[in-house]
Amino acid sequence: DRTVASQVLMYRQLLHTECKPGLRLSRAFQGTPAQRAVMHMPWWEQGVEKTKRMVISYDNLIVRLWLSGGIMPYVEGGYAHKFEAAAEAAAPAGAAEPQAATSSTTTSSTTTATTATTTSADTSHVDTLIDSKGLPPIPHQYWVDRLGFQQTDPVTDFRSGGVLSLAMLVHIVEACPHVHARFLPDGPAHMLPFGITCINITDMLAKFLMFSKSVDRIDALLSQKPFWRMFGDPNSLLVCQELSMDMLADVVVEMVRERRMPGGGGGGAGDGSLHGESEGKVTVFDFAEILDRTEKRVRDDLLGAGPKSVPELRAVHAKLKVRYEKAIARKERDAERKFGRASSDNVLTNNPVTAGAGALLGKIAGGDQGDADKDKPAQMVTAIDEVAFGDSYDEVESSAVPPVAAAAATVASSHSALGVTAAPPGEESSVSPAVQERSSAADTLAPAPQAAAATAAAPPDLLGGAVPAPTEEEAKLSSDAGDGEFSIGDDDLDEGNILDFLDDAIS
């Protein structure tokens, strides 16, 4: 309708009006319904009804931005400090970054009034740095450090957004302290420069709402966007700016949580496209990714829902906030489960005993499928020898070192590989009693070199003595099994027996 059309044309004019010191636009206030509907907008100088003029002044806007964004939040009792104290009191240890709850216009106004009341009593003690002409210091480092501009003179940063982007900055610092606080040093989006971020959000909305120069004015007025109906309320643009800034801060919080997920690395377990540093850090170098994700949410989810009024727009935003929170929580649970399974697999893989058992089973089960069943016992014996002693059965038998000595040497080398060393004389060993017992057994089993030479003709048994002559029953069993071959029944090939044998061999 005509009211919405006049507002759209006003937004377009403000967007394309260049910011420069001394700029002053004025028109007579006639008290028409259209003028009264927008007389409270942040770009007008205060006192419209008293002066009967509707004035837009760059100097007025820049002074308000300096005071409300660069001075008052940082004085004692300012909301910059209140936000820090509230976050510490509300968030338990290990909790995620605090997120500002969705606020109504009434809540924002109340907060602003409270802040003004708190700071007004101390105004006489605050050095605002305003000069004799009533202007803020330009250049000054606060424009960069506190307000987030690129230069100490902010005028160059308003090239793309014009007066509209400056007015939106003033609106956020004056009427939305809960959003502004999220970009202050103690807020979750502190790594992003507030001024530049707010200007980019205004440019984004101008593109979605067809304010930009690339869109013909008539095309904008004749467009059938579903969200145009809410622009019957002139506050709709202000609320779009507020909610878009809040959604951008939520994106930063989500990216931090993604990058802190188990096994997430630098890119986060939930989104491999994320850039930046590891260990859950998000930096200003992630700004392009943050802005891209915010644009998709504002365009598709917020405005794409077609809200018909400002209250409906806020309701959509509240529902989206819950939906995004559930999505990131689900990603965290999935990553936790996935990382838990991977951790268990790593424990089994890195355990030398389970690794040896796995190697043995793999050798037995992974043999040539074409081999006959009669070859399985021989494969099993070879596999056991390779896992327990590190050499093939034939190599151990042909070695000059007796089998028990070879086994003892294998145990000693295993201790060396695991970093187990003998304690100096007179000191207690730090090795566990079980390992000490096995080491002592290995030392007992290993014969001295002279003893090994003396017993070369008669190989010792497992106890180190001469092998006794087989009994008649043993000789019969040996002849039945074949010419010195080792026979195992099918029942002996189960996994339990193999693991029992391994435990005995390792012991």
Side-chain angles (χ1 to χ4, degrees):
D1 58 20
R2 291 177 60 89
T3 302
V4 176
S6 65
Q7 291 179 27
V8 171
L9 293 178
M10 179 176 60
Y11 301 150
R12 287 173 63 93
Q13 182 181 1
L14 292 172
L15 181 72
H16 303 149
T17 300
E18 180 184 0
C19 283
K20 55 185 177 182
L23 173 70
R24 187 178 178 85
L25 305 175
S26 176
R27 67 170 61 178
F29 176 69
Q30 300 172 346
T32 63
Q35 287 181 333
R36 290 189 177 277
V38 299
M39 62 180 292
H40 66 285
M41 300 300 276
W43 43 80
W44 306 116
E45 287 187 359
Q46 291 85 349
V48 172
E49 290 184 302
K50 183 181 297 185
T51 62
K52 300 299 181 183
R53 302 294 299 178
M54 304 181 75
V55 179
I56 298 175
S57 168
Y58 174 82
D59 293 344
N60 173 265
L61 290 172
I62 208 69
V63 169
R64 291 161 60 188
L65 177 62
W66 171 262
L67 293 175
S68 299
I71 299 298
M72 291 306 177
Y74 294 90
V75 301
E76 185 178 357
Y79 63 78
H81 305 290
K82 289 183 178 181
F83 180 85
E84 177 184 7
E88 293 177 353
E97 284 79 357
Q99 299 187 18
T102 305
S103 305
S104 62
T105 306
T106 305
T107 305
S108 299
S109 301
T110 304
T111 306
T112 307
T114 303
T115 304
T117 303
T118 304
T119 57
S120 61
D122 299 330
T123 301
S124 58
H125 306 290
V126 175
D127 185 5
T128 62
L129 304 178
I130 298 295
D131 62 18
S132 59
K133 297 180 180 180
L135 297 176
I138 295 177
H140 196 280
Q141 194 60 31
Y142 280 1
W143 293 109
V144 177
D145 297 340
R146 292 188 175 185
L147 289 163
F149 291 97
Q150 298 180 87
Q151 305 292 334
T152 54
D153 184 352
V155 69
T156 56
D157 289 334
F158 297 117
R159 290 188 300 268
S160 61
V163 174
L164 183 63
S165 60
L166 174 56
M168 290 295 102
L169 271 166
V170 173
H171 167 68
I172 294 297
V173 298
E174 286 186 343
C176 308
H178 64 284
V179 174
H180 182 211
R182 303 190 76 184
F183 295 86
L184 294 181
D186 298 303
H190 64 88
M191 73 290 298
L192 303 181
F194 170 69
I196 298 301
T197 302
C198 194
I199 292 172
N200 275 272
I201 290 295
T202 303
D203 293 342
M204 176 194 74
L205 291 174
K207 178 175 61 178
F208 295 159
L209 302 176
M210 306 177 73
F211 300 159
S212 61
K213 292 180 180 179
S214 60
V215 180
D216 184 80
R217 181 176 63 177
I218 302 301
D219 292 340
L221 295 178
L222 296 178
S223 65
Q224 299 296 319
K225 297 291 185 181
F227 51 76
W228 280 134
R229 288 171 289 187
M230 73 176 177
F231 275 80
D233 184 346
N235 293 313
S236 56
L237 180 62
L238 305 180
V239 176
C240 282
Q241 182 80 20
E242 171 195 344
L243 300 185
S244 297
M245 290 286 288
D246 192 57
M247 293 175 77
L248 184 141
D250 287 344
V251 167
V252 174
V253 173
E254 291 177 18
M255 289 177 64
V256 171
R257 293 173 63 179
E258 284 177 342
R259 295 178 182 184
R260 289 178 179 175
M261 291 180 187
D271 189 347
S273 67
L274 296 178
H275 310 294
E277 300 181 5
S278 59
E279 301 178 359
K281 294 182 180 179
V282 174
T283 70
V284 69
F285 297 104
D286 297 297
F287 185 74
E289 176 70 21
I290 295 169
L291 189 62
D292 181 64
R293 294 174 66 172
T294 304
E295 286 184 355
K296 292 178 181 178
R297 293 185 176 188
V298 173
R299 180 188 63 237
D300 300 336
D301 299 340
L302 187 64
L303 296 178
K308 303 179 182 65
S309 63
V310 169
E312 188 173 338
L313 179 66
R314 290 191 178 275
V316 171
H317 172 258
K319 292 179 181 178
L320 291 175
K321 209 173 182 68
V322 173
R323 192 179 88 184
Y324 300 145
E325 172 61 29
K326 289 182 178 179
I328 189 65
R330 183 167 57 250
K331 283 184 179 181
E332 289 174 331
R333 290 194 301 270
D334 293 344
E336 189 68 34
R337 285 195 293 266
K338 180 179 179 180
F339 178 76
R341 289 195 298 269
S343 178
S344 300
D345 293 342
N346 289 336
V347 170
L348 292 176
T349 303
N350 296 328
N351 188 310
V353 176
T354 56
L360 172 60
L361 294 175
K363 285 178 175 292
I364 297 173
D368 189 358
Q369 298 298 324
D371 293 341
D373 290 341
K374 63 184 179 63
D375 294 331
K376 287 184 178 179
Q379 295 176 20
M380 178 178 177
V381 172
T382 303
I384 291 173
D385 283 332
E386 292 180 2
V387 173
F389 302 109
D391 295 312
S392 67
Y393 183 77
D394 295 335
E395 291 171 345
V396 171
E397 196 167 79
S398 62
S399 174
V401 183
V404 175
T410 302
V411 172
S413 65
S414 300
H415 288 182
S416 177
L418 294 173
V420 179
T421 57
E427 296 185 13
E428 293 186 1
S429 174
S430 60
V431 184
S432 65
V435 174
Q436 294 181 26
E437 181 180 353
R438 289 196 295 270
S439 300
S440 301
D443 295 338
T444 303
L445 291 175
Q450 298 83 355
T455 57
D461 64 0
L462 292 179
L463 296 178
V467 177
T471 63
E472 181 179 352
E473 184 178 358
E474 290 173 347
K476 183 178 183 301
L477 291 174
S478 176
S479 61
D480 291 342
D483 186 16
E485 293 182 358
F486 187 63
S487 176
I488 299 178
D490 290 340
D491 294 339
D492 295 323
L493 292 176
D494 65 283
E495 180 180 353
N497 289 340
I498 295 170
L499 293 179
D500 290 340
F501 180 88
L502 273 181
D503 288 341
D504 295 337
I506 293 173
S507 300

